[in-house]
Amino acid sequence: MPTITVRVKRFDGKTTWWQEYKVDVKGLKISVLDVLLRIKEEQDPTLAVRYSCRMAICGSCGMVINGKPRLACETLLEELETDVVTVEPMWNYRVIKDLVADTEPMLMRLREVKPYILRDTKEIFESDIEYGQKPEELNKYLNFAYCIECGLCYSACPVAASDKLFLGPMILAAAYRWSADSRDRGWPERMKIVNSDVGVWSCIVAYSCSAVCPRNVDPGFAIQQLKKAILLRRKKL
Amino acid sequence: MVEVLKYDIVIIGSGLAGLRAALQAAWTSGGRASIAILSKVQAMRSHSVSAEGGMSAVLYPKETNDSLELHAYDTIKGSDFLADQDAVELMVEMAPKEVRFFERIGVPWSRLPDGRMAQRPFGGMTIPRTTFAADKTGFFIMSTLYQNVLRFDNVHIYHEHFTTKFIVENGEFKGVTAIDLKTGEFKLFLAKAGIIATGGAGRLYRFTTTAHSTTGEVLAYAMRAGAAIKDMEFVQWHPTAMVPTGILITEGARGEGGYLINKEGERFMKRYAPSRMELAPRDIVSRAILTEIAQGRGWVHEESGMGYVGLDLRHLGEQVLNEKLPMIRELAYRYAGIDPLSEIIPVRPAVHYTMGGVHTDIMGRVLMADGTWIKGLWAAGEAASVSVHGANRLGSNSLTECAVWGRLTGEQAAKYVLENPAPITEGSVLEVAKREESRVFDKLLHKEVNAVSVYQVKRELQDIMEEHFGPFREGSKMSEGISKLTKLLDKVKSMRVEDTGRIYNQNLKDALEVEGMVELALVVGMGAYARTESRGAHYRLDYPKRDDENWLKHTLAYLYGGEIQLTYTPVRITKWKPEERKY
C-alpha cells in the first residue's frame, strides 16, 4: 500500500502556510480530488476544496497540481509519476480559503461578450420555430462550446497575470463560439467588444490557455480566429 | 447580523429546472420582476451538467411515425402506472416546444444532414425520440441556459449560497435564509414567490452516479416548513455505472446499439425482457444485472470487491464512438483504463435518480399533505414530484421534465408577483431569521472531544441505505434499517463541526447537509417499509407482485409534532388503465 505525501498551500483569510499530510492509498488509479477528500474526511475537516461532479464536467476543482493548472478530479496519481503531490489554489485569482479561488469576478465578466444568440429576442422566446443547423455549421463552433468555465486558462494566462482589464481566454473563446454559430446575428456587436482595448489585441499568443484546457477547447486558436475576422472586416463569423 | 435582501422571486437551485425557471420568469415579467437564483455551488456547476443521453420529445411525428399519445403511453407504462396521467400528457405536449426553444437559444443539438435535430433510441421508448447533443446533453443545455440568463439584468445570481430554511407564515411563503459560503455572512432573502429546484438525493447512497452536491437536504427543509414529500421510496438505479467509481455510462450507449454481456459472453437480457433487450426500462435492466451477478455470472472487481457485468460497445466502431459517445470513450479510458473500442466496460447499477420529491400539483405548486397550496411556492425538476415518472422514470424524460416545469413555474411565479404589487415587508420574519442564524452558527460551539464527525455520520447513513434500502428490499431488513436511522438522527444532534471559522466553512455546510439527509432517508425508509408491493424501482422480495387494489396511490410524508407521518393520495388516471407491464 503506497503512502502519498500531500503538500497543501493553505490560507485561512489571514495567514498562508504549507501543510503536509500522509495518505495511504490502495493503488495509483485514484484522483487527486479523492485523495484530498480523504484528507478532509479522515484527517482535517477544516481543509477547503471546491468540488462537485468528480467526472471533469462541472468545472469546480481547478487547482495547481505539481506546478500545472488542472482539474483535481481528472488528475490521477499515476500520471504524476511521484509520490509527492503539491497542490495550491489557481493562480491569477484572489484566494478565498485554502484551495478555493475566487473565480466569480472573472466568470461574471462573461456577460460583457453577450454569450447567447443575438437576433430577434421575441422570436426566440415566443415563437415555436426551428432555426435548423447543418452538421458542418455545428462543427464550426462545437469544439468551443465544450468550455466548462473552470477558469484554468485564465490561471495559466501570462497576460491575465498582470492586466486585470483583459477579458481573458475563456471569455474571448465564448465570444468566438457564439459569433461562429450559424443561428447568431451578433458579430457586428460582439466585434466592437473583442476589438476594444480589453479584447483580443492584448493576447501575446503564449497559448498556455490551450495547453492547460481540460476540454481541449483551444481558446488560443479562438482568439486568433477573432483577430483574423476583425482584420478581414468580416460581416459574419 | 442578518443581512436582508428583497426580491420578487427567489429560485433555490441552479440546475436545468432552476435556470429554465429564471429565464422564463425574466422574460414573462418583461424585466419588471427582480429575481434571485441561490445556488449552493457556483451556479453553472449544478449536477444537471452530468446528464448525458438526451431529452425526449416527439419532434417529427410524420417522419418517425411517432405521436404524443405514444410518448405518454410509454412514460406511463414505464412508471408502472404510478404516474399522474394528466401531468404526463402536459409534459409530452410541451416537450417539443421546449426542445425547439433550446434550439433557438443556442443548444448545439446533434444534427441530421438536412439540418433537423437527430434523435436516438432510449430505454422504454418505442420510437427513437431522444434528442441529444453528443453524449453531453445536460452539460450543453446547462451551459446554454446559464449564459442566456446573463441576457437579463433583473436576474441576480448568488453563487455558493447555502439555503438553510424556508420561511412560511400563515400558509404563505415569505422567503429563505442562507449562508454566503464565501464570507460566512447570514442572509435573509425576503420574497413574494419561491421556486424549489434543487435536484435529487443520490448521495443518500454510496454507489451513485450523482455529483457530491446531490444531497437532497432541501427536501427535508421543505418538509420542516410544512410541505409534503411524495413517493420517496422510489429510487432509481441506473443499470450502467462504471466500476469502481460509479461514473455514469449513458443509456445512449445501449441506444446506439451496445450490448450487456455476462461472464459467459451471453446477452442475458433475452431472459428478462426479450422484446426490448438492453432497452427495457431501467428498473428491469438493473435487477437483471444484479441477478446475473448474484447467480455467479458476473465478474468481480479486485480492488473494490464489486460484482459487475460487461457493456460491450466494440461492434459500434470508431465513428459512432467518436461522434455520438465521445465522453464515454474518454471517461472509460481515464477512470477505468480501457478503450471501449477494443474492451468491454465494467458496469453495475448505481443510484441515479429520485422519482419522489416535493409534493406538487400539475402546475408545480407546492402542496401540504392535505392538498393546500403553500401560497407563493413552487417546485420543479427532480426536486419536485409532479408526478410524471411514477415508480420508474424512463431515460431522457428527466431533462424534459426540468424544462417543462422550469418554464411553467417561472411563468406562474412572474405573473403572481406582478399581480401582487404590495411591497415586501420584514414583519416578524426577521425574528425568525435571527433565530435561524443562532441555530446554524451554534453548531460551531460544540466542543465535545469525542463527538462524532460529520463524515462518520454520512458514512453510516450511506451504509444503512445500501444495506437496508437497496434494489431488493424486505420488510424485516427495512424495519432494522429504520431503527438504525432513528438512532443516527440522535447522533446528528451531537455532531462536531471542527472548522470554527466563518469563511468558506465547508465543514459547517456539510453538517447542515447531513442533518437534512438523515431526515430524508427516514422518509425513504418509512415509505418503502409501508408499501407492501413491488412496483417499478421499489422491489420487495416479500411482496414481489404489484398490488393495484391497495397500492395504486402516492405516498405522502409530512411532519406532525416533529414526527414523520405517512398518508396517501390517489393516482390520477385519464386514458390508460393499469395493465401488466411486460417488455
Side-chain angles (χ1 to χ4, degrees), chain A residues 12-13 26-29 31 33-34 37 40-43 45-60 73-76 78-79 94 96-97 100-105 107-108 110-111 115-119 121-136 138 141-142 145-151 174 177-178 181 183 214-215, chain B residues 23-24 27 41-42 44-47 49-50 52 60 96-97 100-117 134 136 139-140 143-144 146-153 155 157 159-160 182 203 208-213 245-248 303 326-327 330-331 333-337 407 453 455 459 498-500 503-507 509-510:
Chain A
D12 62 4
K26 280 188 190 160
L28 297 179
K29 271 212 167 302
S31 69
L33 176 64
D34 281 340
L37 292 183
K40 195 172 161 58
E41 291 174 12
E42 294 165 12
Q43 300 181 34
T46 68
L47 179 65
V49 190
R50 185 186 280 132
Y51 64 98
S52 183
C53 79
R54 58 82 166 91
M55 53 190 277
I57 189 76
C58 80
S60 296
C73 70
E74 70 160 8
T75 305
L76 304 186
E78 63 180 6
E79 63 198 271
R94 180 184 78 89
I96 297 171
K97 186 181 175 192
V100 182
D102 191 2
T103 49
E104 230 177 278
L107 293 172
M108 293 315 277
L110 188 55
R111 204 186 273 267
Y116 33 79
I117 300 280
L118 278 170
R119 66 195 273 175
T121 319
K122 197 165 159 50
E123 179 183 82
I124 291 176
F125 279 85
E126 291 185 357
S127 81
D128 191 27
I129 61 169
E130 182 178 329
Y131 291 148
Q133 188 161 65
K134 297 252 165 69
E136 56 274 22
L138 170 70
Y141 71 88
L142 182 61
Y146 276 99
C147 172
I148 56 174
E149 301 182 30
C150 61
R177 175 258 177 269
W178 288 101
D181 191 315
R183 295 165 289 190
R215 299 266 61 93
Chain B
L23 208 53
Q24 195 62 31
W27 175 256
V41 295
Q42 290 182 316
M44 70 293 278
R45 320 221 181 275
S46 291
H47 179 55
V49 294
S50 303
E52 296 172 357
Y60 313 110
K97 296 184 175 73
R100 287 191 287 268
F101 173 72
F102 287 162
E103 201 254 359
R104 292 192 302 281
I105 65 171
V107 170
W109 292 120
S110 294
R111 299 284 179 163
L112 298 168
D114 66 1
R116 285 184 297 138
M117 291 171 270
K136 297 191 177 189
F139 165 74
F140 282 126
S143 163
T144 308
Y146 175 75
Q147 300 195 5
N148 267 276
V149 165
L150 304 179
R151 277 179 202 270
F152 296 100
D153 295 330
V155 182
I157 301 169
H159 299 286
E160 304 190 302
K182 258 165 75 173
R203 289 275 159 179
T208 172
T209 64
T210 61
H212 287 285
S213 58
T245 55
I247 288 173
L248 173 69
E303 224 167 78
M327 178 159 80
E330 180 190 310
L331 289 171
Y333 188 72
R334 178 159 296 275
Y335 294 102
R407 175 200 180 134
S453 96
Y455 308 104
R459 266 197 296 278
E498 280 158 85
D499 189 344
T500 53
I503 296 170
Y504 216 86
N505 190 335
Q506 266 180 327
N507 196 201
K509 184 216 72 168
D510 293 344

Side-chain angles (χ1 to χ4, degrees), chain B residues 399-432:
Chain B
L399 299 187
T400 308
E401 183 199 16
C402 287
V404 169
W405 275 275
R407 175 200 180 134
L408 288 172
T409 56
E411 201 162 35
Q412 291 171 80
K415 288 181 180 158
Y416 176 84
V417 300
L418 294 180
E419 284 160 13
N420 294 281
I424 305 164
T425 50
E426 288 167 21
S428 53
V429 177
L430 186 59
E431 284 311 308
V432 178

Side-chain angles (χ1 to χ4, degrees), chain B residues 71-232:
Chain B
H71 187 188
Y73 172 72
D74 286 347
T75 301
I76 289 160
K77 184 179 174 188
S79 82
D80 221 346
F81 294 89
L82 193 70
D84 284 326
Q85 300 186 359
D86 53 353
V88 174
E89 289 181 81
L90 178 61
M91 178 179 82
V92 301
E93 187 201 320
M94 291 194 58
K97 296 184 175 73
E98 282 302 295
V99 170
R100 287 191 287 268
F101 173 72
F102 287 162
E103 201 254 359
R104 292 192 302 281
I105 65 171
V107 170
W109 292 120
S110 294
R111 299 284 179 163
L112 298 168
D114 66 1
R116 285 184 297 138
M117 291 171 270
Q119 296 187 295
R120 60 166 51 129
F122 240 66
M125 302 279 188
T126 46
I127 306 276
R129 62 168 80 92
T130 298
T131 324
F132 60 98
D135 53 359
K136 297 191 177 189
T137 313
F139 165 74
F140 282 126
I141 297 176
M142 268 297 286
S143 163
T144 308
L145 275 175
Y146 175 75
Q147 300 195 5
N148 267 276
V149 165
L150 304 179
R151 277 179 202 270
F152 296 100
D153 295 330
N154 56 326
V155 182
H156 295 177
I157 301 169
Y158 289 87
H159 299 286
E160 304 190 302
H161 277 62
F162 183 87
T163 298
T164 71
K165 184 183 179 68
F166 290 85
I167 302 172
V168 173
E169 279 187 343
N170 305 320
E172 198 174 332
F173 174 73
K174 294 288 179 190
V176 299
T177 54
I179 309 171
D180 179 346
L181 294 171
K182 258 165 75 173
T183 60
E185 286 165 58
F186 198 73
K187 297 178 181 173
L188 166 62
F189 289 84
L190 283 169
K192 293 179 192 168
I195 301 173
I196 302 172
T198 50
R203 289 275 159 179
L204 294 183
Y205 291 80
R206 170 158 303 116
F207 193 60
T208 172
T209 64
T210 61
H212 287 285
S213 58
T214 310
T215 41
E217 70 286 344
V218 162
L219 303 189
Y221 299 172
M223 186 169 68
R224 290 178 191 166
I229 307 294
K230 192 198 282 171
D231 289 340
M232 279 303 290

Side-chain angles (χ1 to χ4, degrees), chain A residues 1 48 56 61 70 77 89 100 108 120 125 136 139 169-170 173 224:
Chain A
M1 205 189 267
C61 64
R70 35 190 158 192
L77 292 181
V100 182
M108 293 315 277
D120 184 354
F125 279 85
E136 56 274 22
N139 287 335
M170 181 201 109
Q224 307 325 308

Side-chain angles (χ1 to χ4, degrees), chain B residues 355-412:
Chain B
M355 266 75 75
V358 178
H359 178 35
T360 75
D361 66 8
I362 187 172
M363 297 309 287
R365 285 181 285 238
V366 172
L367 304 178
M368 296 192 271
D370 65 3
T372 32
W373 180 36
I374 297 180
K375 212 163 166 255
L377 191 59
W378 284 264
E382 192 175 350
S385 179
V386 167
S387 119
V388 285
H389 309 307
N392 174 63
R393 175 174 71 78
L394 291 190
S396 76
N397 269 349
S398 57
L399 299 187
T400 308
E401 183 199 16
C402 287
V404 169
W405 275 275
R407 175 200 180 134
L408 288 172
T409 56
E411 201 162 35
Q412 291 171 80

Side-chain angles (χ1 to χ4, degrees), chain B residues 223-338:
Chain B
M223 186 169 68
R224 290 178 191 166
I229 307 294
K230 192 198 282 171
D231 289 340
M232 279 303 290
E233 63 269 35
F234 297 101
V235 175
Q236 179 165 80
W237 274 264
H238 191 290
T240 59
M242 227 175 352
V243 171
T245 55
I247 288 173
L248 173 69
I249 302 293
T250 173
E251 192 166 306
R254 282 169 285 138
E256 296 295 345
Y259 301 149
L260 285 169
I261 56 169
N262 63 19
K263 200 166 67 176
E264 285 142 26
E266 174 200 28
R267 280 180 74 189
F268 55 83
M269 280 310 298
K270 67 181 182 224
R271 276 183 276 116
Y272 302 87
S275 75
R276 296 291 293 163
M277 295 295 285
E278 283 86 356
L279 290 175
R282 290 173 175 174
D283 56 329
I284 293 170
V285 182
S286 287
R287 282 193 292 270
I289 293 174
L290 291 168
T291 305
E292 289 297 303
I293 294 168
Q295 294 179 354
R297 291 189 294 277
W299 290 268
V300 177
H301 183 256
E302 255 178 56
E303 224 167 78
S304 64
M306 279 188 232
Y308 66 87
V309 297
L311 176 62
D312 191 351
L313 308 181
R314 292 174 297 185
H315 56 289
L316 299 185
E318 193 153 19
Q319 199 186 350
V320 171
L321 285 181
N322 289 352
E323 282 174 19
K324 294 185 167 165
L325 303 164
M327 178 159 80
I328 295 313
R329 192 167 183 195
E330 180 190 310
L331 289 171
Y333 188 72
R334 178 159 296 275
Y335 294 102
I338 61 153

